[in-house]
Amino acid sequence: MNYLIVFIMNLAIILIPCIYLFVIYIFKKKKKRKLKIGHFLIAIIMATLIILIKDKVSDIILKDNKSGDSVIKEVENGSGNEVEDNPNYVETTSKGYILEKIDGAYYIDGYIIVNKSYPFSDSWIPSNTEEEINNDICKNCLDKEVYNMWSQMKNDATSIGLNIYISSGYRSFSYQKGLYEHYINKGGKDYADITSARAGHSEHQSGLAFDLNSVDDSFSATDEGKWVNNNAHLYGFIIRYPKDKTNETGYKYESWHLRYVGTYLADKLYNNGNWITMEDYFGLDSQY
Ligand SMILES: [Zn+2]
């Protein structure tokens, strides 16, 4: 329905000025049937105005779609001063966004924020998951909307002969704790910090993120890895730790780690293939 409105407005850009010129022409006396430059100027102004209105309407429609994404928490700030009256207020970021903490998780504009600076509480678990959480690890214990979008993405990949699958989905606070300690034993603290997240700091606790296929650097060069990089945003997923953005995210490039943010933000972060990080977009740090 929303896209129908945009389509009609696209048509109107051409049609309305044409109708205007046609009417002017028809209503002139037969002998004087001649369009002046002024008439064409008015038609151009009309088209420009419709384009401007269309852009505003598209923006509103896209924002509406964003709030339709159920994983994006509707945060009620109430009226009045957003900062002083908001009991959840934590800070205003360098890009002017309001960071809030609600029930053990950080949010900006309803998007869960979890990185090296902003952890979940140890007891935080996702609700409304596709499969009920009974274990420390669970591939399908993802938010229902995330799981639905993932299924669509997987089906579309399968239909063109690609094989993508989840290797790691939900991980509990305590599982992440063990995993991080495993990496410390393997390569020391610095190695562990760039490879894995400390307990509470992993997106895998959110039920909004998962790892694909081989979960290693070889994935990006595969047909699957390339397709995921170029198409994941169409399903609302982002490459959460893009290439050459370690100084922003705090993690090395992970072509296999997807995070769901809904199509509105995913499209902005995809940025025509030149990925923007959540840290850069919202103006956040990510450091212990
Ligand atoms: Zn991951």
Side-chain angles (χ1 to χ4, degrees), residues 9-285:
M9 295 202 73
N10 275 329
L11 266 184
I13 294 168
I14 312 247
L15 276 182
I16 291 182
C18 285
I19 291 168
Y20 162 76
L21 291 174
F22 181 73
V23 169
I24 294 279
Y25 184 77
I26 285 294
F27 279 87
K28 286 205 167 184
K29 284 179 185 162
K30 262 198 176 167
K31 280 184 185 171
K32 287 187 178 175
R33 274 191 183 165
K34 211 176 169 189
L35 287 172
K36 289 179 186 162
I37 214 158
H39 295 130
F40 286 105
L41 275 178
I42 291 173
I44 290 167
I45 290 167
M46 278 176 156
T48 312
L49 278 175
I50 299 166
I51 289 170
L52 289 175
I53 294 168
K54 194 205 87 180
D55 283 352
K56 279 265 170 270
V57 170
S58 306
D59 230 37
I60 291 165
I61 288 171
L62 278 172
K63 278 191 180 144
D64 274 357
N65 283 351
K66 179 193 112 172
S67 54
D69 293 331
S70 67
V71 295
I72 298 157
K73 198 176 177 71
E74 286 297 317
V75 181
E76 287 186 22
N77 290 322
S79 54
N81 189 318
E82 251 183 316
V83 175
E84 282 170 17
D85 297 345
N86 182 354
N88 304 320
Y89 177 80
V90 177
E91 64 187 52
T92 303
T93 73
S94 63
K95 298 262 168 95
Y97 287 93
I98 305 241
L99 183 77
E100 298 176 292
K101 191 172 189 186
I102 305 164
D103 300 332
Y106 290 91
Y107 294 87
I108 287 179
D109 276 357
Y111 296 104
I112 284 185
I113 301 294
V114 53
N115 65 17
K116 290 186 177 181
S117 297
Y118 305 103
F120 284 118
S121 69
D122 53 2
S123 59
W124 197 95
I125 54 163
S127 54
N128 197 35
T129 49
E130 174 73 15
E131 204 177 301
E132 208 180 315
I133 297 174
N134 292 317
N135 289 307
D136 274 341
I137 50 170
C138 169
K139 286 180 192 171
N140 295 334
C141 294
L142 300 170
D143 176 276
K144 280 185 176 154
E145 180 181 320
V146 177
Y147 188 84
N148 177 31
M149 294 306 280
W150 154 248
S151 301
Q152 284 183 38
M153 184 172 145
K154 183 177 167 58
N155 287 343
D156 289 350
T158 305
S159 72
I160 53 165
L162 298 175
N163 178 27
I164 53 171
Y165 54 91
I166 292 178
S167 297
S168 176
Y170 168 75
R171 303 202 290 250
S172 73
F173 183 95
S174 61
Y175 183 86
Q176 192 66 33
K177 198 164 182 265
L179 194 64
Y180 177 74
E181 277 157 15
H182 159 81
Y183 280 113
I184 285 192
N185 292 333
K186 197 174 156 192
K189 202 159 161 292
D190 288 346
Y191 170 74
D193 276 337
I194 201 162
T195 311
S196 174
R198 295 182 189 175
H201 294 269
S202 171
E203 282 199 327
H204 286 272
Q205 195 182 332
S206 70
L208 306 174
F210 49 80
D211 295 333
L212 292 175
N213 296 28
S214 61
V215 198
D216 66 26
D217 294 336
S218 66
F219 180 62
S220 63
T222 62
D223 288 344
E224 281 79 2
K226 288 175 195 161
W227 185 84
V228 164
N229 184 63
N230 294 327
N231 294 281
H233 70 285
L234 301 172
Y235 306 87
F237 293 98
I238 59 166
I239 303 289
R240 179 67 177 88
Y241 311 115
K243 208 172 183 174
D244 303 325
K245 297 290 167 85
T246 304
N247 58 340
E248 294 173 22
T249 62
Y251 294 97
K252 64 185 176 67
Y253 176 38
E254 292 192 4
S255 58
W256 60 87
H257 177 107
L258 296 189
R259 155 76 194 267
Y260 187 76
V261 293
T263 49
Y264 174 79
L265 184 59
D267 185 55
K268 288 196 175 290
L269 298 182
Y270 174 64
N271 189 31
N272 294 316
N274 190 14
W275 285 101
I276 300 170
T277 64
M278 287 182 90
E279 283 74 17
D280 182 18
Y281 185 83
F282 288 123
L284 294 164
D285 282 337

Side-chain angles (χ1 to χ4, degrees), residues 1-11 54 57 61:
M1 182 64 201
N2 289 335
Y3 290 99
L4 187 68
I5 296 170
V6 175
F7 175 72
I8 290 169
M9 295 202 73
N10 275 329
L11 266 184
K54 194 205 87 180
V57 170
I61 288 171

